[in-house]
């Protein structure tokens, strides 16, 4: 196995690494490790930690840049610095704003409800919905400008944004919100059938109900 990914089987950031491994033709396996278990070697208790080429790595964006540069002729990264900036801006936007908003605001309440049997935290979801709606509107307008996140085709930005939006789409309100965004929904539908994305589908994905 060329890449070992330590994290939960169903996790946004584990999936990002899996997709890039598939894109690069690297064999990979997930070693189930929960974020807060003593076995997790991430210095800040996040997942994933990745072993590749005799290196131990943490932080997904640098990890996938490395995998793509070292093993995929950087096919998922524009050469032109200005275009690379646009890709990196989307990666940073996804990491710093989209994932925290979706995860805390709506995904965790549904996960805790469905998998930990907790009452659904409706108040938390309702508080997050206006910001989620504004975020989707922003993404839809951005996508309308050039019809893509970058002018360089499918890049690491698409991998990060798609996987982050997948968690949102798995919730009832998130799914309905994305469906109202014509361009965003169409772009996700195309990504749904990309071989690297299909090869890494979660077992529960596409089933009725969230996650
Ligand atoms: N900055 C980290 C973020 C990874 C991250 O947030 N992973 C989530 C799971 S998808 C996590 O570790 N959650 C557990 C927690 O925050 O306690 C990276 O890029 O790898």
């Amino acid at each position: 196995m060329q890449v070992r990914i330590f994290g939960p089987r169903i996790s946004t950031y584990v999936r990002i690494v899996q997709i890039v491994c598939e894109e690069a033709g690297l064999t990979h396996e997930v070693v189930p490790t929960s974020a807060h278990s003593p076995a997790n070697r991430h210095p800040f208790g996040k997942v994933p930690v990745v072993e590749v080429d005799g290196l131990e790595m943490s932080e997904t964006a640098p990890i996938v840049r490395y995998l793509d540069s070292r093993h995929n002729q950087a096919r998922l990264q524009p050469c032109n610095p200005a275009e690379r900036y646009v890709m990196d801006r989307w990666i940073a936007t996804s990491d710093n704003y989209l994932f925290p908003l979706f995860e805390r605001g709506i995904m965790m309440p549904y996960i805790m409800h469905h998998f930990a049997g907790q009452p659904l935290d409706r108040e938390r979801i309702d508080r997050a919905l206006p910001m989620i709606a504004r975020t989707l509107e922003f993404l839809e307008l951005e996508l309308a400008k050039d019809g893509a996140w970058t002018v360089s085709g499918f890049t690491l930005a698409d991998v990060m944004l798609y996987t982050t939006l997948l968690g949102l789409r798995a919730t009832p309100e998130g799914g309905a919100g994305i469906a109202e965004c014509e361009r965003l929904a169409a772009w996700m539908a195309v990504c749904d059938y990309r071989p690297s994305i299909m090869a890494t589908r979660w077992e529960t994905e596409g089933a009725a109900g969230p996650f």
Side-chain angles (χ1 to χ4, degrees), residues 4-206:
R4 299 180 84 208
I5 308 166
F6 297 81
R9 286 201 188 284
I10 299 186
S11 146
T12 300
Y13 283 85
V14 166
R15 179 80 179 272
I16 290 166
V17 178
Q18 290 175 299
I19 293 170
V20 175
C21 285
E22 285 288 325
E23 292 283 338
L26 289 164
T27 56
H28 54 96
E29 70 173 342
V30 174
V31 181
T33 312
S34 76
H36 301 288
S37 76
N40 185 14
R41 286 165 282 159
H42 192 290
F44 294 91
K46 299 284 182 184
V47 284
V49 167
V50 169
E51 285 177 3
V52 58
D53 301 332
L55 301 167
E56 178 178 300
M57 298 183 168
S58 59
E59 291 306 297
T60 303
I63 293 170
V64 294
R65 284 191 193 99
Y66 170 84
L67 294 175
D68 185 54
S69 304
R70 170 76 180 75
H71 292 284
N72 194 33
Q73 293 165 37
R75 286 193 188 94
L76 301 177
Q77 301 171 82
C79 303
N80 175 298
E83 287 170 29
R84 190 174 286 225
Y85 151 76
V86 176
M87 178 193 78
D88 282 336
R89 171 180 171 259
W90 281 119
I91 291 174
T93 301
S94 187
D95 263 342
N96 295 320
Y97 309 118
L98 306 188
F99 182 74
L101 172 67
F102 301 160
E103 192 210 26
R104 286 182 211 137
I106 191 163
M107 286 158 61
M108 279 321 285
Y110 276 110
I111 288 169
M112 295 315 283
H113 180 57
H114 284 273
F115 297 110
Q118 292 187 6
L120 184 65
D121 191 344
R122 196 64 255 172
E123 212 180 297
R124 191 156 136 194
I125 295 171
D126 287 343
R127 260 201 320 271
L129 285 177
M131 190 59 197
I132 291 174
R134 281 200 293 278
T135 300
L136 290 177
E137 199 180 324
F138 163 73
L139 293 174
E140 180 72 355
L141 286 172
E142 286 291 312
L143 203 47
K145 286 183 188 164
D146 303 311
W149 304 111
T150 71
V151 293
S152 309
F154 188 88
T155 71
L156 294 176
D158 292 70
V159 180
M160 303 278 293
L161 288 166
Y162 171 82
T163 314
T164 298
L165 283 158
L166 197 58
L168 177 67
R169 196 176 66 176
T171 67
E173 295 86 349
I178 289 173
E180 280 174 23
C181 300
E182 200 182 317
R183 289 180 182 84
L184 201 54
W187 164 74
M188 285 194 83
V190 171
C191 291
D192 285 338
Y193 289 97
R194 193 168 173 97
S196 59
I197 286 172
M198 289 177 75
T200 54
R201 279 173 72 110
W202 294 321
E203 253 171 49
T204 50
E205 209 177 309

